[in-house]
Amino acid sequence: MEYDIVIVGAGVMGAATAFYLSKYGKKILLLDQFRVKNTLNSSQDYSRVFRYEYGDDEFYTNLAVESLKLWKEFERETGRQFYFQCGELLIAESKENYALKCYKTLKKLDHPVDLLDEKDLKKRFPQFSAKLGVLDHHGGVLEASSVVESFVERAKKNGVLILENAKVIRIENDTVFLDGKNIKFKKLVVTCGVWTSKLIDVPITITKQQLVYFKPKNIQNFTKDKFPLFGYLDKGFYGFPIHGIDAVKVSNHLPGKVVDPDEDDRKVSEDFIESCKSFFRKFIPDLADTEVVKTKVCFYSMTSDEDFIIDKLNDRVIIGAGFSGHGFKFAPLIGKILSDLAISGETQYDISRFRMNRF
Ligand SMILES: Cc1cc2nc3c(=O)[nH]c(=O)nc-3n(C[C@H](O)[C@H](O)[C@H](O)COP(=O)(O)OP(=O)(O)OC[C@H]3O[C@@H](n4cnc5c(N)ncnc54)[C@H](O)[C@@H]3O)c2cc1C
């Protein structure tokens, strides 16, 4: 069996790549070691953050602008909503922090952003208690699992073959080896998330990230029309308004313990739950004594500089990896870039920061 292009890994990056490649009329196979809908990869959940703000890193803000155009294009094409704009509020205790950098950069690039002092903040978002707030108007919730499903559905409709429960054991020249089966390819795209370095030598570290879902007593105060995405990124905490589950989802963006994704017990610790509660006591008091209704562990695949790895490894193999806990919002753009690299070896987008040779 030979395919023009084989994509290994059907998380959001592989799924988006399959969707963009499906427009070229090539013979394409997308395969995954699990079912597309699984609980183990990094792309499946009710929600992911979309935001324009990236501190003073204009490169990623500009990338987010490009990506939002593609999210909207995908929404038009499918007739479904994946991006729910509700704003992202960065809170802080002092003026010397990440939130203020975001404010200055978004202002400079002429994107809508508000700087709120303690009084304004209390008036606009009474749920929060902080000295300072910065509201990125483009912040929004991405409906993560539906996105992956829809990319795959569309790709399938356009003729891409989907093979589930198909684990690639090794890659050699023009062949991927599965248990009892070999598949030949002209081009290969590897989007294996936290498992990438089990197949290809890439400098990524896997860290354990914990998520907790708290059910507020007054749910109506935490819906997207009243309560934005929030982050205190100097301390790492961030969270979501209610979306897909009657709970506020909270996590910490600071990289957790280094693990092997196949060996970790995937349990959320009591200490982590307590750290969320103590964050709430200070900054979102109404959430401090609420019930935990769900917990989840998910893994980041971190590069040393937190920039992605998007590159050709050789004439046949293309890689998309190391998304360092902030890749989801760029998924359509990354899918498009990986499909460009598979089709023509080049892309119109600037991927100089994502090349392998920087390591
Ligand atoms: C807790 C958490 C919160 C995050 N929050 C945000 C956020 O709010 N905003 C944001 O922009 N980004 C966020 N991210 C980052 C984003 O979710 C990830 O960067 C993105 O989902 C990675 O997608 P992926 O397709 O590369 O990997 P994955 O989703 O892990 O998919 C890789 C797939 O490859 C398959 N695979 C692996 N090895 C093999 C093999 N040998 N054979 C066959 N298949 C294989 C796996 O089964 C898997 O399905 C977050 C990540 C985590 C973990």
Side-chain angles (χ1 to χ4, degrees):
M1 227 183 316
E2 188 183 38
Y3 288 85
D4 292 321
I5 304 164
V6 171
I7 305 158
V8 188
V12 74
M13 302 309 175
T17 307
F19 166 70
Y20 285 102
L21 281 173
S22 72
K23 295 169 184 257
Y24 288 92
K26 302 260 181 201
K27 196 174 167 197
I28 297 166
L29 172 71
L30 170 65
L31 53 83
D32 202 284
Q33 61 184 345
F34 307 130
R35 304 290 306 268
V36 168
K37 205 170 172 50
N38 68 75
T39 53
L40 298 174
N41 74 13
S42 302
S43 302
Q44 301 277 350
D45 204 345
Y46 301 104
S47 50
R48 287 284 184 260
V49 173
F50 182 90
R51 56 188 161 101
Y52 270 7
E53 56 81 3
Y54 256 89
D56 51 14
D57 196 339
E58 294 178 19
F59 172 76
Y60 279 105
T61 297
N62 293 335
L63 223 54
V65 173
E66 288 307 308
S67 186
L68 186 55
K69 288 182 198 158
L70 296 179
W71 283 115
K72 292 197 169 164
E73 201 176 283
F74 188 52
E75 287 186 332
R76 279 194 297 276
E77 192 168 330
T78 54
R80 294 188 57 178
Q81 187 175 4
F82 302 109
Y83 163 69
F84 297 81
Q85 189 170 5
C86 56
E88 188 211 34
L89 179 71
L90 297 166
I91 53 172
E93 288 169 292
S94 83
K95 286 206 162 183
E96 297 306 312
N97 64 12
Y98 181 83
L100 215 68
K101 275 189 197 160
C102 295
Y103 175 74
K104 285 181 186 152
T105 309
L106 292 179
K107 215 51 205 160
K108 178 179 162 209
L109 297 177
D110 213 16
H111 296 306
V113 60
D114 300 326
L115 181 62
L116 308 170
D117 64 17
E118 197 170 356
K119 218 168 103 213
D120 295 338
L121 184 62
K122 255 279 130 329
K123 213 156 124 199
R124 186 110 166 243
F125 299 112
Q127 302 90 335
F128 292 91
S129 169
K131 291 256 179 303
L132 183 85
V134 169
L135 185 72
D136 170 4
H137 288 221
H138 280 96
V141 175
L142 289 167
E143 199 167 273
S145 298
S146 314
V147 163
V148 180
E149 255 172 61
S150 299
F151 276 136
V152 171
E153 254 171 41
R154 280 278 139 170
K156 198 171 166 185
K157 214 167 169 184
N158 295 344
V160 172
L161 191 77
I162 316 291
L163 196 58
E164 299 181 294
N165 299 315
K167 180 172 179 170
V168 171
I169 296 160
R170 65 176 202 282
I171 302 164
E172 256 177 47
N173 303 319
D174 62 351
T175 309
V176 288
F177 292 82
L178 286 75
D179 196 10
K181 197 190 236 165
N182 305 341
I183 299 170
K184 285 201 176 292
F185 57 81
K186 292 195 182 108
K187 299 276 176 174
L188 180 75
V189 181
V190 179
T191 45
C192 287
V194 297
W195 294 274
T196 305
S197 38
K198 298 204 177 214
L199 284 179
I200 287 178
D201 187 18
V202 279
I204 56 178
T205 306
I206 312 310
T207 63
K208 175 177 181 171
Q209 307 301 133
Q210 310 184 67
L211 304 150
V212 188
Y213 302 73
F214 292 89
K215 185 170 183 174
K217 292 189 185 104
N218 301 318
I219 282 212
Q220 71 280 4
N221 294 341
F222 294 89
T223 50
K224 290 188 285 295
D225 53 336
K226 297 194 196 78
F227 186 75
L229 288 162
F230 62 90
Y232 192 160
L233 293 182
D234 301 282
K235 294 187 189 295
F237 283 101
Y238 69 96
F240 297 74
I242 285 165
H243 189 90
I245 177 171
D246 279 347
V248 171
K249 178 173 104 175
V250 180
S251 188
N252 193 302
H253 186 57
L254 301 178
K257 185 176 91 173
V258 174
V259 291
D260 179 323
D262 293 323
E263 283 170 18
D264 190 78
D265 61 12
R266 291 196 183 235
K267 277 203 189 99
V268 169
S269 72
E270 283 305 319
D271 283 356
F272 183 72
I273 295 175
E274 193 39 53
S275 73
C276 296
K277 288 185 174 172
S278 124
F279 173 79
F280 291 152
R281 277 194 281 276
K282 184 141 196 212
F283 299 106
I284 319 178
D286 282 355
L287 289 177
D289 294 313
T290 47
E291 189 195 348
V292 173
V293 288
K294 184 178 159 73
T295 59
K296 185 173 160 67
V297 163
C298 190
F299 301 117
Y300 280 176
S301 44
M302 303 296 296
T303 61
S304 50
D305 53 12
E306 300 185 20
D307 285 340
F308 311 146
I309 298 173
I310 302 176
D311 207 351
K312 289 185 290 180
L313 289 186
N314 54 46
D315 286 344
R316 285 201 194 100
V317 182
I318 292 119
I319 183 168
F323 293 107
S324 302
H326 66 113
F328 202 99
K329 68 185 71 58
F330 305 109
L333 188 63
I334 289 163
K336 200 161 194 240
I337 293 172
L338 290 170
S339 80
D340 288 346
L341 295 177
I343 293 291
S344 68
E346 292 170 2
T347 179
Q348 66 180 98
Y349 298 99
D350 174 15
I351 57 167
S352 51
R353 273 175 73 169
F354 304 146
R355 298 277 186 198
M356 277 287 271
N357 64 8
R358 73 185 192 272
F359 295 110

